[in-house]
Amino acid sequence: MTNSELPLQKIVWDLDGTIVDSFSIHEAILEQVLPVHDLELPPREELLAHFHGQLHESIGGLLGARVSEAQLQQIIKDFLVVDDAYITHPDDHFFRDAVDLANRAYAQGIEQLVVTNRAHGVDRGNASPRTMLQNSALRHMINRVICGDEGEHRKPAAAVLQGVDFDPGTTLVVGDQFVDARFACNLGARAVLVCRHDAIPHLEQLPEGWQASVQIVHSLDEVQL
């Protein structure tokens, strides 16, 4: 029996872009924050190209030499304040297909956890992964949340799951970026990547033969459990 034929026992979810429509949030908040600093919101294509990694990486890469490090830190501080108020009702920002898949998995008794590189730190407020999920309809479905600031390892390192009991052959990683596919490859597990935009960038960075264990879908409604 191949890995793809083994009954699924665990789903390892990504958060941003997979469960949460974080790009729309990111864009809306920058639209409020940047004019305060006499900066225009860059075109959507630029926002997408720099929407990865931690907040400092995303906003810093987007603005580049247009701002000093001190200005960047103030913009991020302002971003976090607006972000906290923006996500008062997290369910409003969740992708419907992700919620439906989580419900289907829960009904089948499949264990679910979230692994995200987003920090849980106190400055994230309502935008903390733990807080968002705890305040959402998914709170009783997700067994564990592992955040990016809670250990020395981050995705795509397999060591993120140190101490987690899982069988790679019965584990599915669900994400939206190449780092999620790389994470699955490092774990020896299968992956589903949902393409939320025109294409998933940087897939060429994956190891040869990745297509055998990674499925790309345009909606999580396509995922068979």
Side-chain angles (χ1 to χ4, degrees):
M1 183 177 288
T2 65
N3 279 1
S4 61
E5 296 170 329
L6 292 172
L8 189 62
Q9 295 182 3
K10 191 183 299 289
I11 291 179
V12 180
W13 285 94
D14 170 56
L15 183 70
D16 291 303
T18 304
I19 295 176
V20 181
D21 186 2
S22 46
F23 178 77
S24 294
I25 297 170
H26 187 78
E27 184 177 35
I29 295 174
L30 286 179
E31 193 171 19
Q32 293 185 50
V33 170
L34 292 183
V36 175
H37 297 269
D38 296 321
L39 294 166
E40 293 185 1
L41 183 72
R44 186 178 180 86
E45 295 74 19
E46 284 188 45
L47 292 172
L48 281 169
H50 293 93
F51 186 62
H52 60 82
Q54 295 185 328
L55 199 57
H56 186 279
E57 297 168 316
S58 294
I59 299 179
L62 177 69
L63 299 178
R66 283 175 281 182
V67 296
S68 66
E69 181 62 27
Q71 288 174 306
L72 176 60
Q73 291 301 327
Q74 186 58 53
I75 290 169
I76 291 174
K77 183 178 179 180
D78 293 347
F79 184 102
L80 292 171
V81 171
V82 178
D83 198 22
D84 179 48
Y86 199 87
I87 312 183
T88 305
H89 303 289
D91 290 306
D92 294 342
H93 304 287
F94 285 6
F95 287 110
R96 185 72 254 169
D97 60 348
V99 174
D100 289 345
L101 178 57
N103 272 289
R104 286 194 284 134
Y106 181 75
Q108 295 185 30
I110 297 170
E111 184 181 355
Q112 302 180 75
L113 65 152
V114 169
V115 176
T116 174
N117 285 338
R118 184 193 285 228
H120 169 63
V122 292
D123 59 346
R124 292 316 302 259
N126 287 322
S128 154
R130 291 187 181 281
T131 303
M132 271 197 292
L133 290 164
Q134 184 58 41
N135 291 338
S136 78
L138 297 184
R139 59 186 173 275
H140 63 288
M141 304 180 202
I142 304 298
N143 303 94
R144 182 172 178 179
V145 181
I146 299 175
C147 302
D149 58 345
E150 295 179 329
E152 58 180 312
H153 303 288
R154 298 174 62 203
K155 287 191 302 183
V160 170
L161 290 189
Q162 279 181 343
V164 176
D165 183 22
F166 76 100
D167 174 4
T170 60
T171 297
L172 178 68
V173 174
V174 180
D176 72 310
Q177 297 290 338
F178 83 98
V179 69
D180 301 304
R182 169 76 76 171
F183 183 44
C185 290
N186 290 345
L187 294 173
R190 292 172 282 153
V192 167
L193 297 186
V194 58
C195 184
R196 299 293 190 194
H197 303 285
D198 293 337
I200 299 174
H202 310 307
L203 292 178
E204 71 280 358
Q205 297 183 29
L206 294 174
E208 186 176 354
W210 63 268
Q211 296 92 337
S213 58
V214 178
Q215 177 188 9
I216 296 178
V217 299
H218 290 280
S219 169
L220 294 176
D221 294 334
E222 301 173 41
V223 178
Q224 300 295 315
L225 299 178

